[in-house]
Amino acid sequence: MRSINRLVFVLMVLMLARPSAFAADTMSLDLVDTPPLINEHVSFEAEIVDLVLNSSGEVVQVVGSACERCDKKRYLPSRGLRLVRDGTDVLPEAIGGLSGSSATILINKATGMAEQVRFFAAKAGESHEN
């Protein structure tokens, strides 16, 4: 009976000691090797998105509003701004035709810049170029 109690005691000690040692290793790896991936971005669903272009056709500002009478929110584009429609990147020559469409704007919390604009799929009968 005494050997069973010792065995149970040893197993309990091993079970309690092992997770804490593993957690300490994992925590140190997370803190040193990987940047935090949670909550880096916030999204804004806009009924109307306008893309402000410069004379070269580059996006210099993303303007969105949740409704026609709502206040407009303005974002500077990040260097790697992606414009996506129907799951594919929009070609530069088609950017001008996107203004006025509905989209989700993905904003980097740290910089406040728009990193991606995902335009909703075209309605039936509507045509668009990607």
Side-chain angles (χ1 to χ4, degrees):
M1 187 71 163
R2 199 168 204 192
S3 63
I4 292 176
N5 286 340
R6 280 187 185 169
L7 179 62
V8 170
F9 177 75
V10 169
L11 288 175
M12 288 179 63
V13 168
L14 287 175
M15 288 175 58
L16 293 174
R18 186 173 174 105
S20 62
F22 179 73
D25 289 343
T26 303
M27 185 185 309
S28 65
L29 288 176
D30 286 343
L31 293 175
V32 173
D33 295 336
T34 57
L37 298 175
I38 300 171
N39 295 327
E40 287 184 1
H41 297 89
V42 64
S43 62
F44 170 61
E45 292 205 16
E47 183 179 331
I48 302 166
V49 172
D50 290 314
L51 301 172
V52 179
L53 307 176
N54 64 12
S55 60
S56 302
E58 298 169 326
V59 178
V60 294
Q61 191 175 50
V62 178
V63 182
S65 59
C67 65
E68 255 183 65
R69 297 183 186 194
C70 296
D71 290 336
K72 293 182 178 183
K73 295 184 179 185
R74 300 172 187 279
Y75 303 99
L76 292 174
S78 68
R79 286 184 186 242
L81 176 69
R82 282 188 63 207
L83 302 174
V84 179
R85 184 158 197 178
D86 295 333
T88 58
D89 289 338
V90 176
L91 297 174
E93 57 269 13
I95 291 174
L98 294 173
S99 283
S101 301
S102 299
T104 300
I105 304 169
L106 188 68
I107 302 136
N108 183 309
K109 277 186 174 182
T111 64
M113 297 177 125
E115 289 193 351
Q116 190 173 112
V117 182
R118 291 185 161 263
F119 290 92
F120 300 139
K123 297 176 184 171
E126 215 179 60
S127 66
H128 65 276
E129 297 176 24
N130 279 357

